[in-house]
Structures are given as C-alpha cells and as structure tokens.
Amino acid sequence: MTRVVVTFALDPELADRIRAVDPRIEVSVLGQDLLDALRGKRRFPSELQAATPLDEIRSALDEAEVMFGFWSGAMPSLVSPDDLPGALRWVQLTSAGADRVDPDLIRAGLTFTNVSGLHATPIAEYVLTYMLMFEKGWPALARNQAAGVYDRMVMPRNLSDRTVGVVGMGAIGAECARLAKAIGCRVLAIRRSVTERRPDAIADEVLPPGDLDVLLAESDYVVLAMPLTEETRGLIGAGELRTMGARGDRSYLINIARGEVVDEPALIEALRDGVIAGAALDVFYREPLPADSPLWELDNVILTPHISGGNENYNEAATSIFCDNLRRYLAGEELHNIIDPDRGY
C-alpha cells in the first residue's frame, strides 16, 4: 500500500480522483474541516495549507510515501536533509517555483516535481493586462474615477507600437511572448540556452543571458519570467533600471517571477525619481506586502497580491498533473517536471 498525503484542504471530488488512480494507494487529506468554513469559496493550496497545523503535517509525513502540497516557508522547519521522514520519497508541488526547496533534500534522495506549465496562460493574460492598463492610462483613469474627475487629457497609446522584452523563456515566458506578438508587439527574449542573438520561432529574437543590458535598452516593457536561483537573485538592480530608463516615459517593469529577482529599494527609488515610467508587480520581497511599503503610495505602480498564476480551476488542474505523475510513479516510469537541484527548477 502506497500512502499519499495531501497537505491542504482538497475538495472531496478531487481527493476521490486521486484515489481512483490505483487501488494500491491510501489517500489522506489534511485540513478538511476548513472546507465547511470556506463554504465553496476558492482558495490557493498555499492558503489552505497555511491553515493546517504544522504538527499535523509532520505527523502525516512520517507515515506517507508521497506528498501533494505546497512547500511553504514553514516546511523547512519540518523536513531537513538530516531529518527526512522515513517513508517519504516524492513531493509533488502545487507550485511551479521550487526556490523554497533545499537542494540538499533532493541530493539526500527526496524527489520533487512541480506543476510547470499550469501558470502559463493566466500569467501571460495578466502580463498583457498590465501592459494594456499602462498604455491606455488606466492608473490615472482609476484615480480620476475614485475622485469623481472627468479628465479627457489622459491620452491612450497603442500597445502594438511597443517592444516587449521577456527575461526567461520557459512555459510562462513563451506564452507572454506569444500573446505580445499576437497583439503586434516586437518581442525580444533572454533564453538561457542560446549563445548569440538570433531569430526565434516564438519571439522575434532571442538573446543569451549575457546580453541582458541589450534587451533592457531596447524594450519598452521588461517582463521578468525566470525562476529564482542564485544566478537570478537581485538580477535587476539600480544599474539595470537606469539602462531601462533610457527609453524615458516608455520604460516599464513587470515582475511575475519572484520578488527577490529585483533590488526592491532600488526599484522604489527608480520609480520615485522617474528613472523608469512604472512597474506592475505581482511578487515582492515580503509577502504579504507590508502596509508601510512605499510601493502602496506610488502612482506609477500596479500591485496585485501574487495571484497572477491563479484561476478558479487551479486546484483541479494541479490535481490532474499530480494524478498523471502518480500513475507514472506507481508504474516505475519517469516523472514529469522533476526539479534539478543544481539548476533550482
């Protein structure tokens, strides 16, 4: 019997879908008492798991061979390379990012897989929305509406006239590039695997990581879509923002990656001083974004609470990915989306 633990409150029909994968598995779902309190409201796995007591999670992991859930900031206090639960062999993450996973856990024999690809469509649609909001003057229009001001001097611009630079061409970045191209934008992209600037099937051109400054200088919108690794931590700092700022009132930063890929104090200063025209941020150094963060007060910023990758069917889609991998696991086949400890994703 293979014991599977779901570490967040999962709708009963989705739990039954997991049980239907194979009669040889035993599935336990934590936090089910939360479902009655939520009364059908949709919640991300991370929120649901955060409401589950840590000692309950640890106790379940001591008996489980497979975990399906979110690797939150609290998980390292429960599972370390020196203290692996005896039976645990595989963790299916409900997220695409694996930056919270200690690579030494993988080297110690614990397999991690993610839900890469799940977020591509919703995040790319968010990115397109952010760009349209800036081009059509929405931040100013929203303030005018709240203040009851009828001002026709907010002049819309065409997004199709802009150049979009995508940093990171995984599933999310590629879909951002595709949608930007579809609306008529010129698209540049940083692709880790290329060594020289060249045409591309999705973007107009791809550039190697060493040409980041070239992409920043040529792009009106810079979309950060790369994973958080030691290579990308703090990738966008004061110098990179100044390079972007050469385009004046057409330079915007969009971050749907991780807050730590940007030097946040440098970004705040650049936004205050008009070095770049604006930013749309779905991720931050600290989440939730503190109430005293200067970002809340800036007129040239669009803020969303780390929800760009979600939709009402998120848990269903994540469960489908898990069920497919669970069949593979039981059959001894290679799993999809295995995390490489050296690359960090």
Side-chain angles (χ1 to χ4, degrees):
M1 184 68 69
T2 299
R3 294 186 175 180
V4 177
V5 60
V6 181
T7 53
F8 62 98
L10 191 65
D11 292 337
E13 59 268 25
L14 297 180
D16 288 342
R17 189 183 301 177
I18 297 172
R19 294 186 180 97
V21 168
D22 196 290
R24 295 173 293 170
I25 62 175
E26 177 184 294
V27 180
S28 60
V29 181
L30 307 184
Q32 288 298 83
D33 55 321
L34 292 173
L35 294 179
D36 291 337
L38 291 173
R39 298 176 186 172
K41 294 180 180 178
R42 301 285 180 163
R43 291 292 186 271
F44 288 111
S46 55
E47 296 174 294
L48 295 168
Q49 186 170 309
T52 305
L54 292 180
D55 57 352
E56 184 178 340
I57 294 176
R58 176 64 203 213
S59 178
L61 292 180
D62 284 336
E63 304 293 330
E65 183 175 336
V66 177
M67 170 187 156
F68 177 38
F70 183 74
W71 205 260
S72 68
M75 292 303 294
S77 68
L78 301 183
V79 181
S80 71
D82 299 324
D83 186 25
L84 288 177
L88 192 62
R89 295 292 178 268
W90 166 41
V91 175
Q92 171 67 62
L93 301 174
T94 56
S95 63
D99 47 278
R100 299 177 179 89
V101 176
D102 184 346
D104 287 337
L105 285 174
I106 302 174
R107 298 187 181 103
L110 189 56
T111 297
F112 282 82
T113 56
N114 64 14
V115 291
S116 178
L118 175 61
H119 306 81
T121 295
I123 288 182
E125 290 179 356
Y126 248 91
V127 168
L128 186 61
T129 300
Y130 293 141
M131 293 190 294
L132 286 168
M133 289 174 74
F134 278 126
E135 290 303 311
K136 303 309 177 184
W138 186 250
L141 293 171
R143 292 193 300 272
N144 288 347
Q145 179 177 337
V149 174
Y150 189 89
D151 180 6
R152 299 187 70 227
M153 296 307 292
V154 178
M155 188 60 66
R157 302 183 298 191
N158 291 338
L159 179 58
S160 57
D161 295 335
R162 304 300 176 220
T163 295
V164 176
V166 180
V167 185
M169 277 285 277
I172 294 170
E175 184 64 5
C176 290
R178 188 188 71 81
L179 289 187
K181 281 274 290 180
I183 207 168
C185 298
R186 171 177 175 248
V187 179
L188 307 176
I190 296 290
R191 191 187 289 274
R192 187 175 185 267
S193 59
V194 306
T195 57
E196 60 182 15
R197 185 170 184 168
R198 60 172 172 78
D200 183 70
I202 300 175
D204 289 287
E205 293 182 277
V206 290
L207 296 80
D211 284 351
L212 175 63
D213 280 354
V214 175
L215 177 140
L216 298 177
E218 294 187 22
S219 300
D220 301 302
Y221 286 91
V222 174
V223 180
L224 305 180
M226 65 290 212
L228 175 63
T229 67
E230 288 311 306
E231 293 177 348
T232 63
R233 189 181 302 275
L235 185 69
I236 304 298
E240 288 74 21
L241 293 165
R242 285 194 297 271
T243 300
M244 286 179 57
R247 299 185 75 81
D249 66 352
R250 291 164 48 184
S251 55
Y252 295 89
L253 181 72
I254 298 177
N255 189 7
I256 45 80
R258 287 287 187 266
E260 295 94 326
V261 303
V262 178
D263 181 338
E264 197 167 278
L267 174 61
I268 291 170
E269 183 176 351
L271 290 164
R272 279 175 168 165
D273 295 346
V275 173
I276 64 173
L281 308 172
D282 188 53
V283 289
F284 311 93
Y285 267 19
R286 288 178 57 195
E287 296 181 10
L289 182 65
D292 60 354
S293 170
L295 289 169
W296 292 111
E297 303 170 0
L298 298 175
D299 289 342
N300 54 349
V301 178
I302 299 172
L303 305 176
T304 52
H306 202 153
I307 59 171
S308 65
N311 58 49
E312 61 182 359
N313 298 316
Y314 190 96
N315 291 357
E316 290 90 333
T319 299
S320 294
I321 292 173
F322 174 52
C323 286
D324 179 56
N325 255 350
L326 184 57
R327 292 186 191 96
R328 291 174 171 272
Y329 179 82
L330 295 170
E333 299 174 359
E334 184 176 358
L335 304 180
H336 288 308
N337 300 334
I338 294 176
I339 303 302
D340 182 333
D342 296 320
R343 298 178 73 175
Y345 57 93

